[in-house]
Structures are given as structure tokens and as C-alpha cells.
Amino acid sequence: REEYVEISPSDFFYRNKDIAGFDNPVRATYMIVRELVENALDACDRAGRAGNIYVAFRGKGSGVFQVEVLDDGIGVPEDEIPKAFGKVLYSSKYVLRQSRGTFGLGGTMALLYGQITTHEPFEVCSSIGDGYAARYRLRIDIQNNKPIVERKQRIKVPPGATFTLVKLTFEGNYERAKGKILEYLKQTAIITPYINIVFRDPKGAIYVFPRATTKLPEEPKESKYHPYGVDVEVLKRLISETKTRNLVSFLSKSFQSMGRQTAIKVLKKARLDPEKNPRKLTDRELVKLVRALRSYDKFRAPDASCLSPVGEEALEKGIVKELRPEFVKVVQRPPSAYEGHPFIVEVGVAYGGGVPATGDIVLYRFANRIPLLYDAASDVAYKVIRKIDWSTYYVDPARTPMAVFVHICSTKIPFKTVGKEFIADKPEIAREIELGIRECARALRSYILKKIAKQRIVER
Amino acid sequence: REEYVEISPSDFFYRNKDIAGFDNPVRATYMIVRELVENALDACDRAGRAGNIYVAFRGKGSGVFQVEVLDDGIGVPEDEIPKAFGKVLYSSKYVLRQSRGTFGLGGTMALLYGQITTHEPFEVCSSIGDGYAARYRLRIDIQNNKPIVERKQRIKVPPGATFTLVKLTFEGNYERAKGKILEYLKQTAIITPYINIVFRDPKGAIYVFPRATTKLPEEPKESKYHPYGVDVEVLKRLISETKTRNLVSFLSKSFQSMGRQTAIKVLKKARLDPEKNPRKLTDRELVKLVRALRSYDKFRAPDASCLSPVGEEALEKGIVKELRPEFVKVVQRPPSAYEGHPFIVEVGVAYGGGVPATGDIVLYRFANRIPLLYDAASDVAYKVIRKIDWSTYYVDPARTPMAVFVHICSTKIPFKTVGKEFIADKPEIAREIELGIRECARALRSYILKKIAKQRIVER
Ligand SMILES: Nc1ncnc2c1ncn2[C@@H]1O[C@H](COP(=O)(O)OP(=O)(O)OP(=O)(O)O)[C@@H](O)[C@H]1O
Ligand SMILES: Nc1ncnc2c1ncn2[C@@H]1O[C@H](COP(=O)(O)OP(=O)(O)OP(=O)(O)O)[C@@H](O)[C@H]1O
Ligand SMILES: [Mg+2]
Ligand SMILES: [Mg+2]
């Protein structure tokens, strides 16, 4: 009597597009812009150049819009285009290296939303620099999670030119999404100062967010897991992929921050023979090894070459340019790790000057250089700020004109939602945010005390 | 240079277990209880009886717990057990009928969490009443989204006896999750007064939540989509499944609240020939039909037989039993629809008496009889309450001892998270919540005004 059915992942995210962040036409309009811009930014970073992104809206009447996003990033190979855009859970970002994309969903969901609201196909045109561009007209077979190629062309382009153009039609609400879209582009420009963004709205108005620098950050490199916090599943996968033949080599080759000496100490803790072949571990031994890895507390801090923090100088510049505060202090915490993933927290506190007094501390949140504009109250950074007793820093959140900037970068940002709106309350991350905020708050306190002292001298 | 990879849906939810609601050991402990209890409650409802659920925790040392959930619901057929529990996106609840389960994920995620934290297999034992129970020991092949059967037995049981037992071992934190777990069971007892729940905690303490009534609600029946708000994808699927040969029959047979007269009016609006075969519709005609369905505003209200609201009387009893307020008013709104899905909002307002004055209105949220205990500030009900000017009802949220209960039931609850923590801001739903709250608030205002008048008479 009960009917047991399997559905595809695209069918799941279609039925539950609220889960994917597309819960109403206003939010969907914002999501389409941010998902396509984030793909373009990732592509420009992979190209290792100070990229250029062009976003154009055209109104088609009765709530229907066409949006085009063009970037000069690395492009997509011709035979990968249909699956990259027409299939969910298909991605080039399932690697241990910082990127904005992480789920293998966002771009495809934006295109899917267009398809279900207007029944129009979407277009992707891209070149990886071989002198040809592939131009596809595509739809998504939602029930089976595969692309439908309606048309394909090959176009000659200058050799070496790389770019990607994505065009779709959807039903949305630009007027009510406009504020958030422009705020998103503005905050993106702060946190990625080496990128040019040009935005054309449905009325033809042009907004330019010019690059503030041509200096690129170090490109993040693919990394291995950090041993701190890994689970049994990760260990099993590493064992199934390893070419090593004994446990010491397995541990020191499979993980970062793990030399042979440390490996021997961990194996001793787990009471495992260092010469044993990892594939011969029994289930009980696997669990003992995981427990030993979790409880060993002397691992070197993670290698941060897989990460691309903003940097104290660049973050400070961005805050000053945006808010013109009387005082600013920026702190980059040392690399840390949670559940095998390296992460770095960067915090900035701005006070006075152009910082508005809004009745509460203004919180700007970023993750892997993505501005997070929704659901602040559910975010780990907000919870940390709420728990701090600000009076010890001579700050009254209700009256002090103060803004806090929090940027977290990691090989995996623990978003609580597919729409990447807010970050889960991980103890390791909460701790680093708190330490960063307190360090900035101490500097703010010194500044405030000096200011009070100066005013008293003046008053005498 | 870029490596394009596909991952399975179980791999996706394993890598992103924060998205699934399992973001730390405390939250995971709560989620495991609620996911298994919700499965048990759905099974008891499908059995059409006043069910019994037994939840037992046993501490195994160093943060490891074993949990067992036993229910006397409809059970799972022997050959379906491995996939129902060992595969994500596999469910008996992908139908248009109210149930707690909706994603095809929850139970499997709980079992997956146990597997990745302890490497232990899990056990399922169930009978559908044919005199035999199937008992499986299972694991999940996460990379391929399929069950691994480690052991299977058939056990003789009394014919007609139906039950399901799920047992798993996981690493969690019962002490810090205890408060939320007990609150969840208590609120479940309020909103499902016909169910018996017995809970044994790791120390052996027994908590009993006895049924308050044997009177069962009407069992919800499978329904068709309501025509209001359907999208192109739904229409295409209905067309691919229909046996009708002309558009009038197609519309009136495929949708609820759509008679032949209404179908003819809608087709006229879409300028489509009523005799046309639905399979012969062109893309442009499909879009015209969807637009006509969306803009036609005279559809009958949905048929609520696919829903199972609590009912004004039962909800009021539950509120009175829980809070012993001085005043209570409960309103069940008429059925409405969003995006093709019928829904009913039920609101209760309680004032004074045992209602605590906490400095803000206390909000109790329920969806399809599931208590929602997290992230209230992101929920649509909270946003509605924040927007109301309470002074017109002689209420000061900061000082009036007042609680608001909101229950939404639907064939699809628009949760914004896989963890079912809060509900998306859908305009149709927000509107019904507001109308329900205002109706209760007006009754409260009359009561408060009478109370003030009486006090003045007494004072003279
Ligand atoms: N503008 C682009 N330039 C180059 N590659 C792109 C572009 N847009 C998409 N892609 C490719 O398509 C893949 C899928 O994109 P999609 O946005 O669906 O997922 P994702 O970016 O990997 O993850 P997320 O869901 O977190 O955004 C990307 O991994 C990337 O390889
Ligand atoms: N106690 C139970 N009794 C009967 N059937 C069950 C029980 N637990 C699970 N099932 C079956 O297993 C299926 C999968 O359960 P699972 O919790 O993974 O998903 P769901 O309940 O369908 O959706 P959700 O993810 O929203 O909980 C259910 O649809 C149901 O058919
Ligand atoms: Mg993306
Ligand atoms: Mg379930």
C-alpha cells in the first residue's frame, strides 16, 4: 500500500527549491546573480588573472527578465559544458582547495529556476583558449538529472582568449531584489579588490565596481586533509586510494601536518603496528586509529597554502574605503582546523567616523570571499558577538557606532544552508572568531581610553 | 587541469552534514531522536491507530550512545528495508498527502551519522503483519548511495503484529542535548495527543508522555495538485502521465478544485482549444496555460482531505494543559494554497495565568505536527509577529505575558533547511499566519479591555 520511490538529486532540489535558496521571486533574482557571479569569480581566480565580469539584466515584461553573465576566467571544456551546467552534484570544486563553489549545485539551480518559471532553454558559450568557443542551447532533464542539448555550435575565437557566457530567462522581481544585488556587488568589490565588475540593470543603468588593485592574492593549492577531526569515512577513502604499504607511510603521505615522527606517535597511541598494511586494518583497528587521530593534540597547525585569505592590509584598505572610520583594527588569526579542514579567520573592527550608529553592532560577514547578506541572527559570528560582554571594552552595542567584519576561509565552509546564507556553530570556528574579535576590541579599547583622556585634558 | 567529478546524493549529504542538520555532536543527538521519532509517528498514523513509541538511550562510554526506537506503526516490507534505510532520496512520502517525512533523507542521515562516528552497523527489524519480521544488520555505501546488507534474518512473530525497531550507535552529547530532546517530546505530546511515548535516558530514568485521548484525527488522503501556483515542470509531468485526450478533461481530472466549467474558463483565458490533445501542446502554449492557471483567481479553495490539522478544540486543550493561561483563543484558518500545495494555518494565543513573562512573546512553532525548536528568528511566523503593531491590541511584547502557537500543515512544508528548523517566507503562508494571529489578537484585546473595565469598577 505504501509506494516506495527513488528520486534524482535534481528532482529533490527542484521539489525543495526553498532549500536551495530559491524560495520566492525576489530571493530567486538575488540568488541567480550571486550564483553566476560566484562561478565567474572562481573561474577568474583559476585563470590567475585580475578578472573582468559583466552582468546584464534585460526586462522582457510581466516580471520576466533575461540575465547574462560574462567573465574572462578559465572557461569550460566543450564536452564538459552540458554536464557542468545541466546536472546537479557535478563540479570541478570537489577538491581540498578554497573556492566559492562547493556543492556542485548553484549554477545549475539558477538555470533550473529559469526553466521552471519560463520554460525557456538557457545558453552557455565558453572557450578554454584553443581558438574555438562551444555555444550550447540547453535544458535540464530534472527527473533524470541530465542535460538536454537542444543546439550546439562551434565558433572561431582568438587563440588564447578564455571566457564563459551564461544567459537565461526567468521570472523574478528586480525592483525588490535590487538593493540586495547592489549591496552584494559592492561587498564583493571590497573583498575581491582585484576584480572589475560592470552591472547593467533592466532600465539600462550601468553600475561600475572598478578594481582597486592589480595585485593578485596567492593562488590556493590543492591540499590533503589535516588529521585533526577526520572521521572513519575519510580514513576508509584514503586507505582505498593509497599506494603506501605500511601505516607510517600511509599517515605521513595521506595527511598534511603529519611527519613520520608524528605518525609513529599516533600509531603508538592507537596501539597499532607501524608496519601493518593499511588495507589490512580491521574495523576495530580503524576506529582506534580515528580515536587516536582525534585525541592527539600536537599536530602542526595546518598548511595554509590551500587557502587564500584577504590579508590584513587589503581588508583594512577595503574597510577604510567603504566606511571611512575614525579607528580600524584588523587581525588575521593563524591557521586552524576543524573536521580535517584548514581554516583562517580574519576580523576587522571599525569605529566612529563614517560608521553609522544603528542601535546595534553592524556585522559584515564573508566566507571564502563571498558576502553573506541574509539570516545574520543564525550565523556563528553573530552568536559570538552576542556572547561577548562589550562593556569591558568600553563599548555599548546599542550606542557605539561600530562595525565588525568577519571573513572565514576554508577548504570547506560549514554553511547550514544550500543557499549559503549562514555558517554553522562549529566550536573551533567560534573560538577563532572570538579570539580575533577580542584582539580587535582590545585595540579599540585603548583607542577609546586615549580619546577619553585627551578630551579630559582639553576640557581642563 | 580542472577535474570534473560527479558525486552521489549520499556523498553530498555526508560531506555537507551541516546542511542536513547534523552540525555538531549536541545537535546530532537531537536530530537522531527527532528523525527516528518522526518516522515512527508517520508509521503509526499510516496504521490508523493510536500508536506507541519507545525511545531508549544507553551510554556506551566516552560519548558513545546506543539508541533504539520501537513503534507499532505499519512496518516496512522485507525487501524495502535496505533501501528505505540505507539509501537517501528513497521514500514512501513523495506523495501529495500530509506527513512529517518529506525529503527521503532524515532516517538515513541519522544512521549515516552513527556509521561515520563509530563505524558500527545499524539494525532494523520490522513486520508488516504477515507473521514474519525481517531483521537486518546494515551499513550505507556512502559513495554509491546504496545499502550494504551485512546480515539478514527472518523471525516468526504473531500474525497481524506490525512494528519497526531501529537501533544505531553514534558519538553524541546527551547531557547538552537533553533539554531540547525532552522539550521536543513534550511538544510532540501536545500536538499529537493520541500517541503514547516512553523515553529511557542513558542513566535509566524513564519519562512517560501518556496519550491524552484515543480519538484519532481523520487520516489524510492522497490528493492532486491545486491549480493555484503550479509551474511548467508540474504541468509537463502531469501531461506525461495523463490518459485524457483533450485539455478540458486533462485539467479537470489532473487538478483538484477544477471542474469542467472552470477548465473551460481557464482555457479561454489561455486562448487554447479545449479539444486539443494535451500532449500536442507546444512550448509556447504550455507557458500560456501556466500563466492562465496562475492568474485565474476564482479557483475553489483546496480540498483539505489531504491534510490533517490539529483542530481548534484539540489545540486549545493542548495549550491549556501545557500553560494553564488566563485566556486562550484558537483559530483554524480556511484551506489555502501556495505553488499547487494546499495548506491550513492554525493559530493559538495564550495570555496570563501560567504563561511566563519572558521579555518577549513566546513563540511555539509546529509544521505537520512536528515541533520546531531552533532558529525561530529566521522563521516566517516570527517575521509576521515582528511586523504586527501590538499596541493596537493593548499588548506590549516586552511586558505582556503572552504565547503564540502557530501550526502549519500542508502537502509540502516550505522548510528552508534540510534539518526542518524554520519555514520560508512564502507570501501566501505569511498572509494566513497574519490573519490568524490578528483574529486571536482581537479576541485578546476584548478580553484585556473587559479586564481593565472590571478593575476600574472594583477600584471605585
Ligand atoms: N563561469 C564559469 N567559468 C568556468 N566554469 C564554470 C563557470 N560556471 C560554472 N562552471 C563550472 O560548472 C561547475 C558547476 O557549477 P555550479 O555553480 O553548479 O556548482 P559549483 O560552483 O561547483 O558549486 P556551488 O553549488 O557551491 O556553486 C563548476 O564547478 C565549474 O566547473
Ligand atoms: N519506523 C518506520 N516505520 C515505517 N516505515 C519507516 C520507518 N522509518 C522509516 N521508514 C520508511 O523509510 C523511508 C525513508 O525514511 P527517511 O526518514 O529517510 O525519509 P522520509 O521520512 O521519507 O523523509 P524525511 O527525510 O523528511 O524524514 C520512509 O519514507 C518510510 O517509508
Ligand atoms: Mg557555483
Ligand atoms: Mg523521516
Side-chain angles (χ1 to χ4, degrees), chain B residues 322-326 351-357:
Chain B
E322 170 67 9
L323 292 179
R324 308 208 167 288
E326 183 184 319
Y351 160 82
V355 180

Side-chain angles (χ1 to χ4, degrees), chain B residues 35 39 93 101 106-107 420:
Chain B
E35 292 292 354
N39 284 347
K93 299 166 198 172
K420 295 178 185 163

Side-chain angles (χ1 to χ4, degrees), chain B residues 179-229:
Chain B
K180 281 290 207 264
I181 290 174
L182 292 175
E183 182 66 21
Y184 175 84
L185 295 176
K186 186 170 70 136
Q187 290 194 22
T188 295
I190 294 175
I191 208 85
T192 7
Y194 52 92
I195 293 278
N196 256 354
I197 302 178
V198 175
F199 175 70
R200 174 203 192 280
D201 84 2
K203 296 208 172 74
I206 307 277
Y207 299 79
V208 184
F209 304 84
R211 63 172 51 94
T213 172
T214 50
K215 177 159 174 290
L216 292 176
E218 276 284 340
E219 201 186 327
K221 300 181 177 37
E222 194 173 338
S223 132
K224 299 171 188 161
Y225 280 99
H226 189 272
Y228 171 75

Side-chain angles (χ1 to χ4, degrees), chain A residues 4, chain B residues 39 43 71 76 84 91-93 101-108 164 420:
Chain A
Y4 295 83
Chain B
N39 284 347
D71 67 73
V76 189
S91 167
S92 59
K93 299 166 198 172
T102 169
F103 299 137
L105 272 181
T108 308
T164 303
K420 295 178 185 163

Side-chain angles (χ1 to χ4, degrees), chain A residues 7 17 19 73 76 110 171 178 181 281 319 339 357 422 431:
Chain A
I7 63 172
K17 52 193 187 305
I19 302 266
V76 189
E171 248 177 57
K178 171 180 179 174
I181 290 174
L281 285 174
I319 294 174
E339 292 169 26
F422 59 96
R431 179 172 178 273

Side-chain angles (χ1 to χ4, degrees), chain A residues 361 385 388-397 402 404 437 441:
Chain A
I361 295 172
I385 287 176
I388 289 176
D389 177 4
W390 285 97
S391 60
T392 53
Y393 302 106
Y394 290 84
V395 168
D396 176 358
M402 182 177 153
V404 175
I437 289 181

